[in-house]
Amino acid sequence: MPDEELLKKIEEFKKKKQSLLLGGGEEKIAKQHSQGKLTARERINLLVDSGTFEEIDLFVKHRSTYFELDKKEFPYDGVVTGFGEIDGKKVAIFSQDFTVQGGSLGEMHAKKIMKLQDLAMKYGIPIIGINDSGGARIQEAVDALYGYGGIFFRNTMASGVIPQITIIAGPCAGGAVYSPAITDFVIMVDKTSQMFITGPQVVKAVTGEDIDKESLGGAKIHNSKSGVAHLLALNDEEAMELTRKLISYLPSNNMDPAPVIDYNKNYNLSEEINEIISSDPKKSYDVKDIINRVFDPNSFFEIHPHFAKNIVVGFARMQGRSVGIIANQPKILAGSLDIDASDKAARFIRFCDAFNIPIITFVDTPGYLPGINQEHGGIIRHGAKLLYAYSEATVPLITIILRKAYGGAYIAMGSQHLGADFVFAWPTAEIAVMGPEGAANIIFAKEIEKSQNPEETRKERIQEYKERFANPYEAASRGYIEDVIEPIQTRNKIIASLSIAYSKVEARPSKKHGNIPL
């Protein structure tokens, strides 16, 4: 005979669970959809492999009694937490549910996230946060602030240990913005997501400036101007797809190797790579044309594509293995290094170094960008971050000098002097303290001034400097580069260098931590 009491309890459980799974209810779900947004659970289902999500803490309740909160129920306290798989790789996920009290963060909401962070660290797996929240639950007062502080602390402890990815799929305001800022990658959904410390109303009240939410902290602003966001998605579906792609390049933690995938073993560079760079150093080109040819076909995944476009960073694969790429972009500001480019590259280098991903650098830069705004904005301090990031990196570092490599920027862009393992130069490389024109004007200033034909003398001295210094051979003669190579050899040289450097072990002085010039 069946146990009637047991069957009754099971039925009660099913009804309770079914009610909870509806979140804020069908009306609020419909409103979420009408705004072009998916629900918290729909996002998770798109993100992970089908049928792999295992939820935890579904029955968690808030326990606040202020402002009659004890009379209200918030299913799973407005955040879905659990574990799933992306292409078979285990990940931890939390997804804020805007249909439940606006996804607001209170004590138990935060405790669920903190618990998941602790478990992700314990299991050594990436954590992905999907933010869609009105901010702190004001009614819970300091308990909400406790929650944010606990999350920030765990973000910091996890930094460099497990990959942390944030998807901004709705509002993210006030203190809530600092958790995404600490994580490794931020993906924002266009039109439906915003991030700001204070909203338009507060900005207007305090400064008198009139601005809307999208212009203040929309996805395009943070992808192109502030650099807070790394990737821009057109909708929730694309955000989940970008996250799946990003995860495919990353190890689960700082002790695991990055995944290796199958690759075309017959792929080789063609002669067309010789036609990308002009012999005229003033003619620009797109460095991504080189990147896309050198690495495994269709493997380049650019990070921060809309921010500081004068430098290109991203992941690619070489013989199926993940590598990080840093490359000057000559078609933007001639590839000069400025404040934003230095910050962008330095942070990416430090991520790759933390997770044992080799770094391949392509150099073509005339130097640091001159200008009053750059100097007053702290180009010295920001530019030093790039030097610091390369110098502290212990992963394999391979550098290819394509054309210009002048002055401090030559040093900063992964030179042998900062610890690069292998540095190669194309025959078009110009490695010097500065460009031929500027150098000739300084070195031969008196001679040019006294000449009966100053312009002709100037041209002669520029040509003399070019022949003497504007080439890769002077640096090669000093052993500052390992070899001068044909462009068509680039892929094979990188492969050979990586095969040697993969076993690299490099100690650093014992210290608590360095003091990077932030």
Side-chain angles (χ1 to χ4, degrees), residues 242-278:
L242 284 170
T243 306
R244 287 180 63 88
K245 186 174 182 180
L246 177 56
I247 281 285
S248 74
Y249 290 89
L250 310 181
S252 290
N253 57 64
N254 64 343
M255 303 299 286
D256 280 359
V260 181
I261 67 169
D262 288 335
Y263 65 98
N264 181 358
K265 295 177 176 61
N266 297 317
Y267 178 70
N268 286 301
L269 283 174
S270 67
E271 292 286 347
E272 64 182 12
I273 196 167
N274 294 331
E275 300 167 10
I276 295 173
I277 292 185
S278 167

PDB file of all heavy atoms in Angstrom, residues 242-278:
ATOM      1  N   LEU A 242      28.558  34.573 -26.903  1.00  0.00           N
ATOM      2  CA  LEU A 242      29.892  35.144 -26.713  1.00  0.00           C
ATOM      3  C   LEU A 242      30.566  34.553 -25.481  1.00  0.00           C
ATOM      4  O   LEU A 242      31.769  34.281 -25.485  1.00  0.00           O
ATOM      5  CB  LEU A 242      29.801  36.675 -26.566  1.00  0.00           C
ATOM      6  CG  LEU A 242      29.556  37.474 -27.846  1.00  0.00           C
ATOM      7  CD1 LEU A 242      29.255  38.932 -27.507  1.00  0.00           C
ATOM      8  CD2 LEU A 242      30.761  37.388 -28.788  1.00  0.00           C
ATOM      9  N   THR A 243      29.785  34.338 -24.432  1.00  0.00           N
ATOM     10  CA  THR A 243      30.332  33.766 -23.202  1.00  0.00           C
ATOM     11  C   THR A 243      30.798  32.333 -23.429  1.00  0.00           C
ATOM     12  O   THR A 243      31.876  31.932 -22.968  1.00  0.00           O
ATOM     13  CB  THR A 243      29.284  33.800 -22.073  1.00  0.00           C
ATOM     14  OG1 THR A 243      28.806  35.138 -21.922  1.00  0.00           O
ATOM     15  CG2 THR A 243      29.878  33.327 -20.756  1.00  0.00           C
ATOM     16  N   ARG A 244      30.018  31.558 -24.146  1.00  0.00           N
ATOM     17  CA  ARG A 244      30.402  30.176 -24.465  1.00  0.00           C
ATOM     18  C   ARG A 244      31.706  30.165 -25.273  1.00  0.00           C
ATOM     19  O   ARG A 244      32.603  29.349 -25.023  1.00  0.00           O
ATOM     20  CB  ARG A 244      29.295  29.475 -25.259  1.00  0.00           C
ATOM     21  CG  ARG A 244      28.064  29.119 -24.435  1.00  0.00           C
ATOM     22  CD  ARG A 244      27.006  28.414 -25.306  1.00  0.00           C
ATOM     23  NE  ARG A 244      27.488  27.148 -25.830  1.00  0.00           N
ATOM     24  CZ  ARG A 244      27.382  25.986 -25.211  1.00  0.00           C
ATOM     25  NH1 ARG A 244      26.792  25.913 -24.030  1.00  0.00           N
ATOM     26  NH2 ARG A 244      27.838  24.884 -25.770  1.00  0.00           N
ATOM     27  N   LYS A 245      31.810  31.091 -26.214  1.00  0.00           N
ATOM     28  CA  LYS A 245      33.016  31.163 -27.043  1.00  0.00           C
ATOM     29  C   LYS A 245      34.226  31.550 -26.196  1.00  0.00           C
ATOM     30  O   LYS A 245      35.308  30.956 -26.320  1.00  0.00           O
ATOM     31  CB  LYS A 245      32.810  32.170 -28.180  1.00  0.00           C
ATOM     32  CG  LYS A 245      33.955  32.207 -29.184  1.00  0.00           C
ATOM     33  CD  LYS A 245      33.616  33.110 -30.361  1.00  0.00           C
ATOM     34  CE  LYS A 245      34.741  33.100 -31.396  1.00  0.00           C
ATOM     35  NZ  LYS A 245      34.435  33.960 -32.558  1.00  0.00           N
ATOM     36  N   LEU A 246      34.060  32.543 -25.336  1.00  0.00           N
ATOM     37  CA  LEU A 246      35.148  33.000 -24.476  1.00  0.00           C
ATOM     38  C   LEU A 246      35.651  31.875 -23.579  1.00  0.00           C
ATOM     39  O   LEU A 246      36.867  31.653 -23.445  1.00  0.00           O
ATOM     40  CB  LEU A 246      34.663  34.188 -23.631  1.00  0.00           C
ATOM     41  CG  LEU A 246      35.619  34.778 -22.599  1.00  0.00           C
ATOM     42  CD1 LEU A 246      36.932  35.212 -23.243  1.00  0.00           C
ATOM     43  CD2 LEU A 246      34.966  35.955 -21.877  1.00  0.00           C
ATOM     44  N   ILE A 247      34.718  31.158 -22.964  1.00  0.00           N
ATOM     45  CA  ILE A 247      35.078  30.050 -22.070  1.00  0.00           C
ATOM     46  C   ILE A 247      35.918  28.996 -22.784  1.00  0.00           C
ATOM     47  O   ILE A 247      36.794  28.357 -22.186  1.00  0.00           O
ATOM     48  CB  ILE A 247      33.797  29.409 -21.477  1.00  0.00           C
ATOM     49  CG1 ILE A 247      33.246  30.267 -20.331  1.00  0.00           C
ATOM     50  CG2 ILE A 247      34.042  27.987 -21.007  1.00  0.00           C
ATOM     51  CD1 ILE A 247      34.025  30.168 -19.031  1.00  0.00           C
ATOM     52  N   SER A 248      35.692  28.836 -24.088  1.00  0.00           N
ATOM     53  CA  SER A 248      36.398  27.783 -24.833  1.00  0.00           C
ATOM     54  C   SER A 248      37.905  28.019 -24.904  1.00  0.00           C
ATOM     55  O   SER A 248      38.676  27.094 -25.165  1.00  0.00           O
ATOM     56  CB  SER A 248      35.821  27.658 -26.252  1.00  0.00           C
ATOM     57  OG  SER A 248      36.229  28.746 -27.065  1.00  0.00           O
ATOM     58  N   TYR A 249      38.349  29.266 -24.682  1.00  0.00           N
ATOM     59  CA  TYR A 249      39.779  29.582 -24.742  1.00  0.00           C
ATOM     60  C   TYR A 249      40.455  29.486 -23.375  1.00  0.00           C
ATOM     61  O   TYR A 249      41.687  29.562 -23.295  1.00  0.00           O
ATOM     62  CB  TYR A 249      39.981  31.010 -25.273  1.00  0.00           C
ATOM     63  CG  TYR A 249      39.656  31.181 -26.729  1.00  0.00           C
ATOM     64  CD1 TYR A 249      38.369  31.507 -27.145  1.00  0.00           C
ATOM     65  CD2 TYR A 249      40.630  31.022 -27.714  1.00  0.00           C
ATOM     66  CE1 TYR A 249      38.051  31.677 -28.486  1.00  0.00           C
ATOM     67  CE2 TYR A 249      40.333  31.182 -29.063  1.00  0.00           C
ATOM     68  CZ  TYR A 249      39.037  31.507 -29.433  1.00  0.00           C
ATOM     69  OH  TYR A 249      38.734  31.671 -30.765  1.00  0.00           O
ATOM     70  N   LEU A 250      39.662  29.344 -22.310  1.00  0.00           N
ATOM     71  CA  LEU A 250      40.200  29.519 -20.963  1.00  0.00           C
ATOM     72  C   LEU A 250      40.339  28.200 -20.206  1.00  0.00           C
ATOM     73  O   LEU A 250      39.519  27.296 -20.365  1.00  0.00           O
ATOM     74  CB  LEU A 250      39.289  30.456 -20.155  1.00  0.00           C
ATOM     75  CG  LEU A 250      38.897  31.779 -20.817  1.00  0.00           C
ATOM     76  CD1 LEU A 250      38.015  32.585 -19.873  1.00  0.00           C
ATOM     77  CD2 LEU A 250      40.122  32.566 -21.236  1.00  0.00           C
ATOM     78  N   PRO A 251      41.349  28.118 -19.334  1.00  0.00           N
ATOM     79  CA  PRO A 251      41.422  26.967 -18.433  1.00  0.00           C
ATOM     80  C   PRO A 251      40.382  27.115 -17.326  1.00  0.00           C
ATOM     81  O   PRO A 251      39.851  28.204 -17.108  1.00  0.00           O
ATOM     82  CB  PRO A 251      42.843  27.073 -17.864  1.00  0.00           C
ATOM     83  CG  PRO A 251      43.144  28.539 -17.889  1.00  0.00           C
ATOM     84  CD  PRO A 251      42.451  29.071 -19.115  1.00  0.00           C
ATOM     85  N   SER A 252      40.112  26.048 -16.611  1.00  0.00           N
ATOM     86  CA  SER A 252      39.151  26.125 -15.512  1.00  0.00           C
ATOM     87  C   SER A 252      39.702  26.897 -14.323  1.00  0.00           C
ATOM     88  O   SER A 252      38.958  27.527 -13.575  1.00  0.00           O
ATOM     89  CB  SER A 252      38.745  24.715 -15.064  1.00  0.00           C
ATOM     90  OG  SER A 252      37.955  24.105 -16.069  1.00  0.00           O
ATOM     91  N   ASN A 253      41.025  26.847 -14.155  1.00  0.00           N
ATOM     92  CA  ASN A 253      41.661  27.561 -13.049  1.00  0.00           C
ATOM     93  C   ASN A 253      43.128  27.782 -13.368  1.00  0.00           C
ATOM     94  O   ASN A 253      43.608  27.358 -14.425  1.00  0.00           O
ATOM     95  CB  ASN A 253      41.478  26.788 -11.728  1.00  0.00           C
ATOM     96  CG  ASN A 253      42.029  25.376 -11.817  1.00  0.00           C
ATOM     97  OD1 ASN A 253      43.228  25.169 -11.990  1.00  0.00           O
ATOM     98  ND2 ASN A 253      41.143  24.381 -11.724  1.00  0.00           N
ATOM     99  N   ASN A 254      43.840  28.406 -12.448  1.00  0.00           N
ATOM    100  CA  ASN A 254      45.228  28.771 -12.721  1.00  0.00           C
ATOM    101  C   ASN A 254      46.211  27.602 -12.624  1.00  0.00           C
ATOM    102  O   ASN A 254      47.409  27.783 -12.873  1.00  0.00           O
ATOM    103  CB  ASN A 254      45.677  29.898 -11.778  1.00  0.00           C
ATOM    104  CG  ASN A 254      45.688  29.471 -10.317  1.00  0.00           C
ATOM    105  OD1 ASN A 254      45.081  28.467  -9.944  1.00  0.00           O
ATOM    106  ND2 ASN A 254      46.373  30.234  -9.480  1.00  0.00           N
ATOM    107  N   MET A 255      45.719  26.420 -12.290  1.00  0.00           N
ATOM    108  CA  MET A 255      46.582  25.237 -12.238  1.00  0.00           C
ATOM    109  C   MET A 255      46.332  24.298 -13.415  1.00  0.00           C
ATOM    110  O   MET A 255      47.139  23.401 -13.679  1.00  0.00           O
ATOM    111  CB  MET A 255      46.352  24.465 -10.923  1.00  0.00           C
ATOM    112  CG  MET A 255      46.577  25.285  -9.667  1.00  0.00           C
ATOM    113  SD  MET A 255      48.269  25.905  -9.510  1.00  0.00           S
ATOM    114  CE  MET A 255      49.128  24.394  -9.076  1.00  0.00           C
ATOM    115  N   ASP A 256      45.223  24.507 -14.110  1.00  0.00           N
ATOM    116  CA  ASP A 256      44.874  23.655 -15.250  1.00  0.00           C
ATOM    117  C   ASP A 256      45.360  24.260 -16.562  1.00  0.00           C
ATOM    118  O   ASP A 256      45.431  25.483 -16.699  1.00  0.00           O
ATOM    119  CB  ASP A 256      43.347  23.481 -15.343  1.00  0.00           C
ATOM    120  CG  ASP A 256      42.823  22.436 -14.378  1.00  0.00           C
ATOM    121  OD1 ASP A 256      43.648  21.845 -13.659  1.00  0.00           O
ATOM    122  OD2 ASP A 256      41.594  22.233 -14.337  1.00  0.00           O
ATOM    123  N   PRO A 257      45.664  23.433 -17.545  1.00  0.00           N
ATOM    124  CA  PRO A 257      46.016  23.972 -18.866  1.00  0.00           C
ATOM    125  C   PRO A 257      44.761  24.423 -19.614  1.00  0.00           C
ATOM    126  O   PRO A 257      43.653  23.948 -19.333  1.00  0.00           O
ATOM    127  CB  PRO A 257      46.663  22.777 -19.570  1.00  0.00           C
ATOM    128  CG  PRO A 257      46.017  21.578 -18.926  1.00  0.00           C
ATOM    129  CD  PRO A 257      45.759  21.964 -17.498  1.00  0.00           C
ATOM    130  N   ALA A 258      44.933  25.354 -20.525  1.00  0.00           N
ATOM    131  CA  ALA A 258      43.818  25.751 -21.384  1.00  0.00           C
ATOM    132  C   ALA A 258      43.457  24.576 -22.292  1.00  0.00           C
ATOM    133  O   ALA A 258      44.307  23.732 -22.600  1.00  0.00           O
ATOM    134  CB  ALA A 258      44.202  26.965 -22.217  1.00  0.00           C
ATOM    135  N   PRO A 259      42.208  24.491 -22.706  1.00  0.00           N
ATOM    136  CA  PRO A 259      41.803  23.357 -23.547  1.00  0.00           C
ATOM    137  C   PRO A 259      42.528  23.339 -24.891  1.00  0.00           C
ATOM    138  O   PRO A 259      42.891  24.385 -25.426  1.00  0.00           O
ATOM    139  CB  PRO A 259      40.293  23.589 -23.739  1.00  0.00           C
ATOM    140  CG  PRO A 259      40.063  25.023 -23.438  1.00  0.00           C
ATOM    141  CD  PRO A 259      41.093  25.415 -22.433  1.00  0.00           C
ATOM    142  N   VAL A 260      42.750  22.145 -25.398  1.00  0.00           N
ATOM    143  CA  VAL A 260      43.363  21.967 -26.720  1.00  0.00           C
ATOM    144  C   VAL A 260      42.317  21.348 -27.630  1.00  0.00           C
ATOM    145  O   VAL A 260      41.653  20.392 -27.257  1.00  0.00           O
ATOM    146  CB  VAL A 260      44.602  21.046 -26.640  1.00  0.00           C
ATOM    147  CG1 VAL A 260      45.240  20.897 -28.021  1.00  0.00           C
ATOM    148  CG2 VAL A 260      45.610  21.588 -25.636  1.00  0.00           C
ATOM    149  N   ILE A 261      42.151  21.923 -28.818  1.00  0.00           N
ATOM    150  CA  ILE A 261      41.148  21.411 -29.747  1.00  0.00           C
ATOM    151  C   ILE A 261      41.822  20.941 -31.035  1.00  0.00           C
ATOM    152  O   ILE A 261      42.995  21.236 -31.285  1.00  0.00           O
ATOM    153  CB  ILE A 261      40.065  22.466 -30.059  1.00  0.00           C
ATOM    154  CG1 ILE A 261      40.658  23.643 -30.848  1.00  0.00           C
ATOM    155  CG2 ILE A 261      39.399  22.977 -28.784  1.00  0.00           C
ATOM    156  CD1 ILE A 261      39.618  24.578 -31.424  1.00  0.00           C
ATOM    157  N   ASP A 262      41.072  20.224 -31.849  1.00  0.00           N
ATOM    158  CA  ASP A 262      41.594  19.782 -33.140  1.00  0.00           C
ATOM    159  C   ASP A 262      41.863  20.983 -34.039  1.00  0.00           C
ATOM    160  O   ASP A 262      41.213  22.023 -33.918  1.00  0.00           O
ATOM    161  CB  ASP A 262      40.589  18.851 -33.819  1.00  0.00           C
ATOM    162  CG  ASP A 262      40.520  17.494 -33.134  1.00  0.00           C
ATOM    163  OD1 ASP A 262      41.510  17.112 -32.488  1.00  0.00           O
ATOM    164  OD2 ASP A 262      39.464  16.829 -33.242  1.00  0.00           O
ATOM    165  N   TYR A 263      42.827  20.834 -34.928  1.00  0.00           N
ATOM    166  CA  TYR A 263      43.166  21.921 -35.844  1.00  0.00           C
ATOM    167  C   TYR A 263      43.582  21.332 -37.180  1.00  0.00           C
ATOM    168  O   TYR A 263      43.857  20.128 -37.298  1.00  0.00           O
ATOM    169  CB  TYR A 263      44.282  22.801 -35.264  1.00  0.00           C
ATOM    170  CG  TYR A 263      45.613  22.079 -35.107  1.00  0.00           C
ATOM    171  CD1 TYR A 263      46.611  22.201 -36.068  1.00  0.00           C
ATOM    172  CD2 TYR A 263      45.864  21.255 -34.005  1.00  0.00           C
ATOM    173  CE1 TYR A 263      47.821  21.536 -35.940  1.00  0.00           C
ATOM    174  CE2 TYR A 263      47.063  20.578 -33.871  1.00  0.00           C
ATOM    175  CZ  TYR A 263      48.040  20.731 -34.843  1.00  0.00           C
ATOM    176  OH  TYR A 263      49.230  20.060 -34.732  1.00  0.00           O
ATOM    177  N   ASN A 264      43.644  22.194 -38.174  1.00  0.00           N
ATOM    178  CA  ASN A 264      44.028  21.771 -39.521  1.00  0.00           C
ATOM    179  C   ASN A 264      45.545  21.619 -39.597  1.00  0.00           C
ATOM    180  O   ASN A 264      46.277  22.608 -39.649  1.00  0.00           O
ATOM    181  CB  ASN A 264      43.531  22.807 -40.541  1.00  0.00           C
ATOM    182  CG  ASN A 264      43.877  22.424 -41.966  1.00  0.00           C
ATOM    183  OD1 ASN A 264      44.525  21.395 -42.226  1.00  0.00           O
ATOM    184  ND2 ASN A 264      43.471  23.258 -42.922  1.00  0.00           N
ATOM    185  N   LYS A 265      46.021  20.410 -39.584  1.00  0.00           N
ATOM    186  CA  LYS A 265      47.465  20.163 -39.569  1.00  0.00           C
ATOM    187  C   LYS A 265      48.137  20.502 -40.895  1.00  0.00           C
ATOM    188  O   LYS A 265      49.373  20.562 -40.979  1.00  0.00           O
ATOM    189  CB  LYS A 265      47.724  18.698 -39.193  1.00  0.00           C
ATOM    190  CG  LYS A 265      47.292  18.365 -37.772  1.00  0.00           C
ATOM    191  CD  LYS A 265      47.488  16.899 -37.459  1.00  0.00           C
ATOM    192  CE  LYS A 265      47.135  16.586 -36.004  1.00  0.00           C
ATOM    193  NZ  LYS A 265      45.717  16.883 -35.685  1.00  0.00           N
ATOM    194  N   ASN A 266      47.347  20.717 -41.918  1.00  0.00           N
ATOM    195  CA  ASN A 266      47.912  21.031 -43.234  1.00  0.00           C
ATOM    196  C   ASN A 266      47.972  22.534 -43.507  1.00  0.00           C
ATOM    197  O   ASN A 266      48.421  22.955 -44.568  1.00  0.00           O
ATOM    198  CB  ASN A 266      47.079  20.362 -44.340  1.00  0.00           C
ATOM    199  CG  ASN A 266      47.103  18.856 -44.227  1.00  0.00           C
ATOM    200  OD1 ASN A 266      48.151  18.261 -43.988  1.00  0.00           O
ATOM    201  ND2 ASN A 266      45.945  18.222 -44.385  1.00  0.00           N
ATOM    202  N   TYR A 267      47.520  23.334 -42.511  1.00  0.00           N
ATOM    203  CA  TYR A 267      47.475  24.784 -42.745  1.00  0.00           C
ATOM    204  C   TYR A 267      48.872  25.384 -42.695  1.00  0.00           C
ATOM    205  O   TYR A 267      49.645  25.149 -41.766  1.00  0.00           O
ATOM    206  CB  TYR A 267      46.587  25.477 -41.713  1.00  0.00           C
ATOM    207  CG  TYR A 267      46.559  26.980 -41.883  1.00  0.00           C
ATOM    208  CD1 TYR A 267      45.909  27.552 -42.980  1.00  0.00           C
ATOM    209  CD2 TYR A 267      47.204  27.819 -40.992  1.00  0.00           C
ATOM    210  CE1 TYR A 267      45.900  28.921 -43.171  1.00  0.00           C
ATOM    211  CE2 TYR A 267      47.206  29.193 -41.166  1.00  0.00           C
ATOM    212  CZ  TYR A 267      46.550  29.735 -42.252  1.00  0.00           C
ATOM    213  OH  TYR A 267      46.557  31.105 -42.440  1.00  0.00           O
ATOM    214  N   ASN A 268      49.200  26.174 -43.697  1.00  0.00           N
ATOM    215  CA  ASN A 268      50.465  26.907 -43.751  1.00  0.00           C
ATOM    216  C   ASN A 268      50.219  28.304 -44.294  1.00  0.00           C
ATOM    217  O   ASN A 268      49.223  28.555 -44.985  1.00  0.00           O
ATOM    218  CB  ASN A 268      51.480  26.192 -44.655  1.00  0.00           C
ATOM    219  CG  ASN A 268      52.052  24.947 -43.990  1.00  0.00           C
ATOM    220  OD1 ASN A 268      52.646  25.032 -42.917  1.00  0.00           O
ATOM    221  ND2 ASN A 268      51.863  23.801 -44.625  1.00  0.00           N
ATOM    222  N   LEU A 269      51.129  29.213 -43.986  1.00  0.00           N
ATOM    223  CA  LEU A 269      51.015  30.574 -44.511  1.00  0.00           C
ATOM    224  C   LEU A 269      51.253  30.581 -46.019  1.00  0.00           C
ATOM    225  O   LEU A 269      52.076  29.813 -46.533  1.00  0.00           O
ATOM    226  CB  LEU A 269      52.039  31.495 -43.840  1.00  0.00           C
ATOM    227  CG  LEU A 269      51.709  31.963 -42.422  1.00  0.00           C
ATOM    228  CD1 LEU A 269      52.874  32.746 -41.831  1.00  0.00           C
ATOM    229  CD2 LEU A 269      50.474  32.840 -42.432  1.00  0.00           C
ATOM    230  N   SER A 270      50.563  31.471 -46.705  1.00  0.00           N
ATOM    231  CA  SER A 270      50.778  31.632 -48.145  1.00  0.00           C
ATOM    232  C   SER A 270      51.600  32.891 -48.400  1.00  0.00           C
ATOM    233  O   SER A 270      51.787  33.725 -47.511  1.00  0.00           O
ATOM    234  CB  SER A 270      49.431  31.735 -48.871  1.00  0.00           C
ATOM    235  OG  SER A 270      48.772  32.930 -48.506  1.00  0.00           O
ATOM    236  N   GLU A 271      52.046  33.038 -49.609  1.00  0.00           N
ATOM    237  CA  GLU A 271      52.894  34.174 -49.981  1.00  0.00           C
ATOM    238  C   GLU A 271      52.186  35.520 -49.830  1.00  0.00           C
ATOM    239  O   GLU A 271      52.841  36.554 -49.742  1.00  0.00           O
ATOM    240  CB  GLU A 271      53.364  34.014 -51.447  1.00  0.00           C
ATOM    241  CG  GLU A 271      54.327  32.875 -51.686  1.00  0.00           C
ATOM    242  CD  GLU A 271      55.733  33.167 -51.165  1.00  0.00           C
ATOM    243  OE1 GLU A 271      55.997  34.339 -50.840  1.00  0.00           O
ATOM    244  OE2 GLU A 271      56.529  32.227 -51.085  1.00  0.00           O
ATOM    245  N   GLU A 272      50.850  35.508 -49.753  1.00  0.00           N
ATOM    246  CA  GLU A 272      50.122  36.781 -49.673  1.00  0.00           C
ATOM    247  C   GLU A 272      50.431  37.553 -48.391  1.00  0.00           C
ATOM    248  O   GLU A 272      50.220  38.758 -48.331  1.00  0.00           O
ATOM    249  CB  GLU A 272      48.618  36.558 -49.799  1.00  0.00           C
ATOM    250  CG  GLU A 272      47.996  35.753 -48.687  1.00  0.00           C
ATOM    251  CD  GLU A 272      46.506  35.526 -48.872  1.00  0.00           C
ATOM    252  OE1 GLU A 272      45.974  35.802 -49.967  1.00  0.00           O
ATOM    253  OE2 GLU A 272      45.867  35.061 -47.916  1.00  0.00           O
ATOM    254  N   ILE A 273      50.979  36.887 -47.385  1.00  0.00           N
ATOM    255  CA  ILE A 273      51.334  37.611 -46.166  1.00  0.00           C
ATOM    256  C   ILE A 273      52.445  38.631 -46.444  1.00  0.00           C
ATOM    257  O   ILE A 273      52.582  39.635 -45.740  1.00  0.00           O
ATOM    258  CB  ILE A 273      51.754  36.651 -45.027  1.00  0.00           C
ATOM    259  CG1 ILE A 273      51.731  37.399 -43.682  1.00  0.00           C
ATOM    260  CG2 ILE A 273      53.099  36.009 -45.298  1.00  0.00           C
ATOM    261  CD1 ILE A 273      51.822  36.522 -42.469  1.00  0.00           C
ATOM    262  N   ASN A 274      53.233  38.377 -47.499  1.00  0.00           N
ATOM    263  CA  ASN A 274      54.300  39.314 -47.863  1.00  0.00           C
ATOM    264  C   ASN A 274      53.758  40.628 -48.423  1.00  0.00           C
ATOM    265  O   ASN A 274      54.490  41.618 -48.501  1.00  0.00           O
ATOM    266  CB  ASN A 274      55.217  38.686 -48.916  1.00  0.00           C
ATOM    267  CG  ASN A 274      55.987  37.509 -48.370  1.00  0.00           C
ATOM    268  OD1 ASN A 274      56.280  37.458 -47.184  1.00  0.00           O
ATOM    269  ND2 ASN A 274      56.315  36.556 -49.231  1.00  0.00           N
ATOM    270  N   GLU A 275      52.482  40.627 -48.815  1.00  0.00           N
ATOM    271  CA  GLU A 275      51.920  41.805 -49.493  1.00  0.00           C
ATOM    272  C   GLU A 275      51.168  42.738 -48.548  1.00  0.00           C
ATOM    273  O   GLU A 275      50.672  43.784 -48.958  1.00  0.00           O
ATOM    274  CB  GLU A 275      50.975  41.342 -50.604  1.00  0.00           C
ATOM    275  CG  GLU A 275      51.667  40.475 -51.657  1.00  0.00           C
ATOM    276  CD  GLU A 275      50.674  39.763 -52.561  1.00  0.00           C
ATOM    277  OE1 GLU A 275      49.468  40.083 -52.497  1.00  0.00           O
ATOM    278  OE2 GLU A 275      51.106  38.882 -53.317  1.00  0.00           O
ATOM    279  N   ILE A 276      51.066  42.385 -47.259  1.00  0.00           N
ATOM    280  CA  ILE A 276      50.260  43.185 -46.328  1.00  0.00           C
ATOM    281  C   ILE A 276      50.959  44.483 -45.944  1.00  0.00           C
ATOM    282  O   ILE A 276      50.358  45.553 -45.934  1.00  0.00           O
ATOM    283  CB  ILE A 276      49.918  42.353 -45.071  1.00  0.00           C
ATOM    284  CG1 ILE A 276      49.028  41.170 -45.466  1.00  0.00           C
ATOM    285  CG2 ILE A 276      49.210  43.226 -44.022  1.00  0.00           C
ATOM    286  CD1 ILE A 276      48.774  40.186 -44.341  1.00  0.00           C
ATOM    287  N   ILE A 277      52.242  44.395 -45.645  1.00  0.00           N
ATOM    288  CA  ILE A 277      52.984  45.581 -45.207  1.00  0.00           C
ATOM    289  C   ILE A 277      53.702  46.213 -46.383  1.00  0.00           C
ATOM    290  O   ILE A 277      54.410  45.545 -47.131  1.00  0.00           O
ATOM    291  CB  ILE A 277      53.994  45.212 -44.100  1.00  0.00           C
ATOM    292  CG1 ILE A 277      53.266  44.822 -42.822  1.00  0.00           C
ATOM    293  CG2 ILE A 277      54.936  46.382 -43.817  1.00  0.00           C
ATOM    294  CD1 ILE A 277      54.178  44.563 -41.650  1.00  0.00           C
ATOM    295  N   SER A 278      53.548  47.531 -46.509  1.00  0.00           N
ATOM    296  CA  SER A 278      54.228  48.279 -47.563  1.00  0.00           C
ATOM    297  C   SER A 278      55.652  48.612 -47.122  1.00  0.00           C
ATOM    298  O   SER A 278      55.941  48.732 -45.928  1.00  0.00           O
ATOM    299  CB  SER A 278      53.464  49.578 -47.842  1.00  0.00           C
ATOM    300  OG  SER A 278      54.237  50.456 -48.636  1.00  0.00           O
TER     301      SER A 278
END
